Amino acid sequence: MRALRRALLALGIAAAIAGVLRLRGSGGVPPQGGGWRELSGPDLR
Amino acid sequence: MRVAVIGAGAVGARAARQLHDAAEDLVVVDADGARAEAVVSALGKPARLVGDVDDAVTGASVAVLAVGTGHRALAERALERGADVVSVADTLTEVSELLALDPEARERGRYVVAGAGFSPGLACVLARHAAADFDRVDEVHVCRSGTGGPACARQHHRALSAGAVEWRDRAWVRRRGGSGRELCWFPDPIGAVDCYRGGLAEPLLLAPAFDGVQRVSARLAASRGERMLSWLPMLGRAPEEGGPGGLRVEVRGGQGPARAVRVLGAIDRPSVAAGVVAAVTAVWVVEGRLARTGVAGLAELVEPVPFLAELARRGVRAAVFEGTAGGVVTG
C-alpha cells in the first residue's frame, strides 16, 4: 500500500513538473534578418 | 444602392460605418435591437433600423452578414430575395456550409463572398497579391493572431480544439487542432508568436484559388495556456474588443526554374479590418467587380492591387517581409 502511495505521489509530481515545463517552454526565438516594409505607392499601382 | 447589414456587433458596426457614405439606403438589423439602434443612431441617415432579416434583405443589392453563426441560412434567405451576399464567417463549418451554396448562387447569377473579413478575407487577398509574380504556386501558409469582438474570441477558443483541415499533396487532410506548433513572425509590434493548427477556413478558400497548389495550411496564435485549456468551455468572459491582430501569409512558388518565397502581412484591430474588408467587398459586389458569380473567397474574386489600395486608403495597410525569417516546426 505504501509503495502504491509513493508511486502515485511520484506520478503526480512528475505530471506537475511536466505541466510547468509545457507551459513555460524551452525554445528561444530564432534569429530573423530583415524586416517588414509597408506596401504603398508603387506596390499598389 | 441599398445595403443590408445583418449583425451590429464589433464587425457589423464597423462595416456599416464604412458603407455609410456609399449606400443610398443602409438598413441594420441585429438580434439585440438596442445594439442595432445604437449603431443607427450613431451613423444617422441613410442608416435606419429594421426589425427583421427578411425586411432587411428584401430589395437590398447586397447583404453583409456579420453575425456569429447561421451564415448559410441567412445567405439562402438573401439569395431567395435577390440580394448578393458578403459573409464575414471565419469558421470551418460556416464557410464549408456557404461553399455548398455555390450551385444555387451560380444558378441565380448571384455573388456570395465567403470569409470576407480580417481572416480569411484579408489573408486571401494577401495570398493572391503575393502570388502575382509566380508562374506557379506550390504552397500557401497563413498564420493569424488576435481576436476582434466576443464572437471572434469564442471562435478562437473553439478553433484550437476543433479539427483542422489542410490541403496536402492535392488532397484534404484532417489534423488535430492545437497541433503543429510553429513560430511565426508577424509585423511589429506583434513579432514572433507560437501558432497552432485550428479549425480555420483559409485552406477551404485558398486551395481552389491556386491551380496546382500542393499545400495550404492555416495556424492561429495562442499561448500555451490557451491551448491547454481549449478543450474546456471558455472560462472568462469574452472581451468586447481584442487588441491588435496580425496576419502573416507565406506563398512559395516558382518564377521560371527558380523557387521563391514571398511573405506578406498586416496588423490591425481584427474587427476594424474585418469591417473595412467586408464593406469594400460589398461595394465591389454592387459595382460588379468580382471575377465570377457563385460562392468563393476573395483570393478567387478580386484583383488584389486595387483592393489593397482601397483598404490602405481606408487605413488598413499591408506589409511585405524583406529578409530571412527564422522559424521552427516542432510537431
Side-chain angles (χ1 to χ4, degrees):
Chain A
M1 198 62 195
R2 179 185 289 180
L4 181 63
R5 276 203 301 271
R6 284 181 176 172
L8 288 174
L9 181 65
L11 277 175
I13 292 170
I17 292 171
V20 169
L21 290 176
R22 185 77 175 142
L23 276 173
R24 285 187 66 232
S26 56
V29 177
Q32 176 187 241
W36 291 91
R37 176 179 62 77
E38 190 177 296
L39 291 178
S40 61
D43 300 309
L44 299 177
R45 281 188 202 126
Chain B
M1 67 171 177
R2 178 173 171 182
V3 180
V5 177
I6 317 297
V11 176
R14 268 58 178 258
R17 181 174 297 280
Q18 291 289 328
L19 287 162
H20 186 252
D21 291 338
E24 291 153 3
D25 187 12
L26 179 62
V27 293
V28 180
V29 63
D30 192 289
D32 181 345
R35 189 163 71 168
E37 193 171 355
V39 170
V40 167
S41 302
L43 293 176
K45 286 184 179 177
R48 63 189 174 90
L49 188 67
V50 292
D52 179 75
V53 170
D54 289 333
D55 289 344
V57 297
T58 302
S61 305
V62 59
V64 177
L65 308 183
V67 292
T69 57
H71 285 247
R72 166 149 182 165
L74 290 169
E76 283 179 319
R77 286 160 78 176
L79 288 174
E80 284 166 10
R81 287 158 180 80
D84 295 307
V85 175
V86 173
S87 160
V88 303
D90 60 355
T91 71
L92 204 54
T93 307
E94 294 280 347
V95 170
S96 177
E97 289 175 358
L98 279 173
L99 288 170
L101 275 178
D102 187 54
E104 182 183 341
R106 283 179 188 252
E107 192 177 315
R108 293 177 183 273
R110 291 281 157 209
Y111 300 108
V112 178
V113 187
F118 182 62
S119 167
L122 182 53
C124 284
V125 182
L126 293 176
R128 172 58 65 195
H129 187 47
D133 295 333
F134 292 154
D135 303 328
R136 66 173 194 285
V137 173
D138 299 324
E139 301 180 29
V140 182
H141 302 290
V142 177
C143 295
R144 66 180 252 198
S145 81
T147 58
C152 187
R154 285 190 289 271
Q155 145 65 1
H156 177 273
H157 181 79
R158 283 193 299 265
L160 278 169
S161 58
V165 294
E166 288 184 356
W167 180 251
R168 198 173 179 91
D169 300 328
R170 302 188 186 186
W172 291 110
V173 179
R174 288 207 159 268
R175 309 303 290 261
R176 189 169 57 83
S179 65
R181 178 162 69 102
E182 182 172 347
L183 187 70
C184 295
W185 287 90
F186 293 91
D188 298 327
I190 295 179
V193 185
D194 277 333
C195 294
Y196 304 86
R197 295 190 187 99
L200 303 177
E202 275 84 348
L204 292 182
L205 299 175
L206 287 166
F210 298 100
D211 284 340
V213 67
Q214 300 278 339
R215 294 184 180 191
V216 182
S217 71
R219 284 174 167 77
L220 73 165
S223 67
R224 292 181 176 217
E226 287 172 326
R227 180 181 165 229
M228 284 186 72
L229 298 175
S230 64
W231 59 277
L232 294 169
M234 199 166 176
L235 298 176
R237 191 175 172 205
E240 287 301 313
E241 183 74 56
L247 279 177
R248 181 184 188 278
V249 180
E250 179 177 315
V251 178
R252 297 171 178 261
Q255 292 166 311
R259 279 177 59 85
V261 181
R262 194 151 191 242
V263 181
L264 295 183
I267 180 166
D268 210 317
R269 292 169 81 172
S271 53
V272 174
V276 174
V277 171
V280 173
T281 305
V283 171
W284 278 41
V285 165
V286 173
E287 293 175 351
R289 296 176 70 178
L290 303 192
R292 67 167 177 86
T293 57
V295 186
L298 290 174
E300 282 189 79
L301 297 177
V302 301
E303 277 293 321
V305 170
F307 196 92
L308 288 171
E310 180 59 21
L311 294 185
R313 195 181 71 75
R314 295 175 184 239
V316 177
R317 293 185 172 85
V320 58
F321 182 80
E322 293 175 333
T324 307
V328 59
V329 179
T330 55

